[in-house]
Amino acid sequence: MRAVPLLEAVPLHRVIPAAGTPETHILLRVRAPDVTPGEGPRVQTVLVLDSSGSMSGDPMAHVIDSSRRIVDILHDDDALGVVAFASTARTVSPLRTLRAEARHDCKRELLSLA
């Protein structure tokens, strides 16, 4: 049997007034199911990064640093790809499973955005 996420809706007001517009806000909580370590779902992620001129300097340095941290955080069985766009889109790093060599290559390819 497959575990499903729990979705909980919590109204922020206990009572909605009868007069006026019956409007309230609801907090939605999504909780992932408990999984046994090692059995977690694997993800396939593609980062789409703005590489236009407005991102030059510190903004691009922060994007590269954050993206490289994502490469470090993902598991070996996860897949990651990177696409950059300015006036056109280009593949910076193809979607691939992050084994040791691919992880290293992806981090190196991210540096090409600088």
Side-chain angles (χ1 to χ4, degrees):
M1 185 174 159
R2 206 171 137 185
V4 296
L6 171 67
L7 178 61
E8 179 183 10
V10 181
L12 297 182
H13 302 97
R14 290 180 176 256
V15 177
I16 299 174
T21 306
E23 185 177 297
T24 188
H25 294 88
I26 296 175
L27 170 67
L28 292 177
R29 262 190 215 127
V30 180
R31 294 185 187 185
D34 292 334
V35 294
T36 306
E39 292 183 10
R42 294 296 155 226
V43 298
Q44 292 188 349
T45 304
V46 175
L47 301 177
V48 180
L49 309 175
D50 180 356
S51 61
S52 64
S54 65
M55 294 296 291
S56 64
D58 282 345
M60 184 52 70
H62 291 301
V63 166
I64 292 169
D65 183 52
S66 298
S67 299
R68 288 171 56 99
R69 287 175 190 234
I70 291 170
V71 174
D72 288 335
I73 290 169
L74 292 172
H75 295 279
D76 290 344
D77 291 331
D78 294 334
L80 180 71
V82 181
V83 174
F85 69 92
S87 57
T88 61
R90 72 177 175 96
T91 301
V92 174
S93 184
L95 181 66
R96 60 188 163 206
T97 305
L98 289 174
R99 304 278 189 238
E101 185 177 345
R103 189 179 299 273
H104 172 76
D105 290 346
C106 184
K107 290 172 83 172
R108 180 181 43 79
E109 292 159 350
L110 280 163
L111 293 175
S112 73
L113 293 169

